């Protein structure tokens, strides 16, 4: 029987591409930058991040070829093993609609060293999709996948397809479906899945995709978050998780976790507003990994407004940076 990823904070890492000053740079499709990918991954592992989601939405999965997918996944796996992070959890994202292609990507992910797959809910035919159709799609993928899979529920990039809690109950019973990532702000849906008595939560783990609601969703059964902000403030988000899972916190710890949740929630508004572009900008400016505008088309140019826009976030970012440096 497959087991879900361990509780904790995971990072949906961006895919890094070579910079403009590199000889191999191509403005249409810059090659992947494995060295920077590895450096950022090791930075996160050393900061206490439980594992990585590679080639998710933040990782621009839809912009990469299968060959590039393998290069990124295998490059990170080799590096973390060499640095002593044995069996470090790597979850490989898929964003394809075709069952056969999704399974081929999962096979490639296993070969590259990933232990899990995170499969985006198919949304192209949103208007005609049914819950039964979604259940059958995930069942077919899970039946054929060589690694356990998780359900990636992100209506914002799936044409607003919503998977109802009862569908999660059904899918949770599949031996090769071990959890979900819920990338939306509906805390009630989190509760109806993470606290659902019809789900064996030892075999099906619920992760939020939003660190800005980490403390409340932990209280209703979520086991952690796959959070973009943790890509540039890893220690702070990990500390918030550690305090959130305490069943008998001291008064001081209660106040501290509320204060941390406030800081995380406010800085995550950068991601709410700018998405993947904002995450890359923050990682570049704050941690020095990659170009600020290092995305592939049609993503272009970094955050709108550049330095002037970034300056608007200074107080929030500085407060988080102070917290990060204290840990």
């Amino acid at each position: 029987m497959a087991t879900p990823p361990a509780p904790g904070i995971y990072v949906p890492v961006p895919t890094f591409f070579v910079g403009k000053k590199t000889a191999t740079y191509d403005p249409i499709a810059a090659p992947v930058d494995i060295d920077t990918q590895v450096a950022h991954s090791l930075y996160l592992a050393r900061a206490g991040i439980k594992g990585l989601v590679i080639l998710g939405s933040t990782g621009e999965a839809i912009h990469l070829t299968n060959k590039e997918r393998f290069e990124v996944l295998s490059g990170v796996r080799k590096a973390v093993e060499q640095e002593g992070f044995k069996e470090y959890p790597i979850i490989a994202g898929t964003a394809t609609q075709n069952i056969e292609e999704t399974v081929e990507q999962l096979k490639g992910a296993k070969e590259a060293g990933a232990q899990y797959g995170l499969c985006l809910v198919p949304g192209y035919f949103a208007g005609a999709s049914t819950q039964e159709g979604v259940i059958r799609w995930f069942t077919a993928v899970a039946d054929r996948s060589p690694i356990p899979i998780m359900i990636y529920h992100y209506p914002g990039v799936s044409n607003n397809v919503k998977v109802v809690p009862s569908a999660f109950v059904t899918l949770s019973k599949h031996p090769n479906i071990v959890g979900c990532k819920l990338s939306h702000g509906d805390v009630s849906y989190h509760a109806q899945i993470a606290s659902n008595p019809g789900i064996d939560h030892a075999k099906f783990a619920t992760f939020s995709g939003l660190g800005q609601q980490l403390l409340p969703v932990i209280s209703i059964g979520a086991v952690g978050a796959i959070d973009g902000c943790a890509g540039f403030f890893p220690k702070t988000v990990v500390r918030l998780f550690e305090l959130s899972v305490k069943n008998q916190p001291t008064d001081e710890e209660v106040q501290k976790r509320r204060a941390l949740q406030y800081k995380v929630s406010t800085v995550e508004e950068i991601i709410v507003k700018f998405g993947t572009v904002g995450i890359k900008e923050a990682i570049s400016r704050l941690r020095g990994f990659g170009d600020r505008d290092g995305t592939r088309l049609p993503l272009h140019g970094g955050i709108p407004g550049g330095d002037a826009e970034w300056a608007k976030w200074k107080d929030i970012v500085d407060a988080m940076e102070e917290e990060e440096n204290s840990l």
Side-chain angles (χ1 to χ4, degrees), residues 94-166:
T94 72
T96 51
Q97 309 280 303
N98 178 284
I99 291 171
E100 184 176 358
E101 185 179 4
T102 302
V103 172
E104 284 303 309
Q105 290 191 354
L106 292 167
K107 289 178 178 178
K110 180 183 181 180
E111 185 181 351
Q115 296 103 319
Y116 299 95
L118 179 67
C119 302
L120 184 68
V121 173
Y124 187 86
F125 290 110
S129 293
T130 63
Q131 296 299 305
E132 181 61 26
V134 170
I135 290 170
R136 287 175 178 266
W137 189 93
F138 273 101
T139 299
V141 170
D143 284 345
R144 293 159 177 78
S145 175
I147 53 177
I149 68 168
M150 300 171 66
I151 302 162
Y152 185 14
H153 191 209
Y154 187 1
V157 298
S158 299
N159 214 0
N160 210 35
V161 170
K162 294 183 179 178
V163 183
V164 300
S166 61

Side-chain angles (χ1 to χ4, degrees), residues 1 138-144 169-178 203-204:
M1 177 69 70
F138 273 101
T139 299
V141 170
D143 284 345
R144 293 159 177 78
V169 173
T170 299
L171 289 169
S172 73
K173 300 183 188 308
H174 194 290
N176 209 30
I177 299 178
V178 295
K203 298 177 181 177
F204 186 91

Side-chain angles (χ1 to χ4, degrees), residues 210-269:
L210 303 173
Q212 61 194 152
Q213 56 193 26
L214 179 58
L215 177 57
V217 299
I218 289 292
S219 72
I220 53 175
V223 300
I226 300 171
D227 177 57
C229 172
F232 44 97
F233 288 123
K235 294 179 182 179
T236 304
V237 181
V238 168
R239 182 58 180 151
L240 173 58
F241 171 77
E242 292 170 345
L243 291 172
S244 296
V245 297
K246 282 182 172 282
N247 289 323
Q248 294 181 314
T250 65
D251 290 345
E252 183 181 358
E253 288 171 334
V254 168
Q255 293 302 316
K256 182 61 177 179
R257 66 188 187 182
R258 287 177 180 171
L260 284 179
Q261 184 63 79
Y262 173 77
K263 290 179 180 179
V264 170
S265 295
T266 53
V267 83
E268 292 240 10
E269 290 299 319

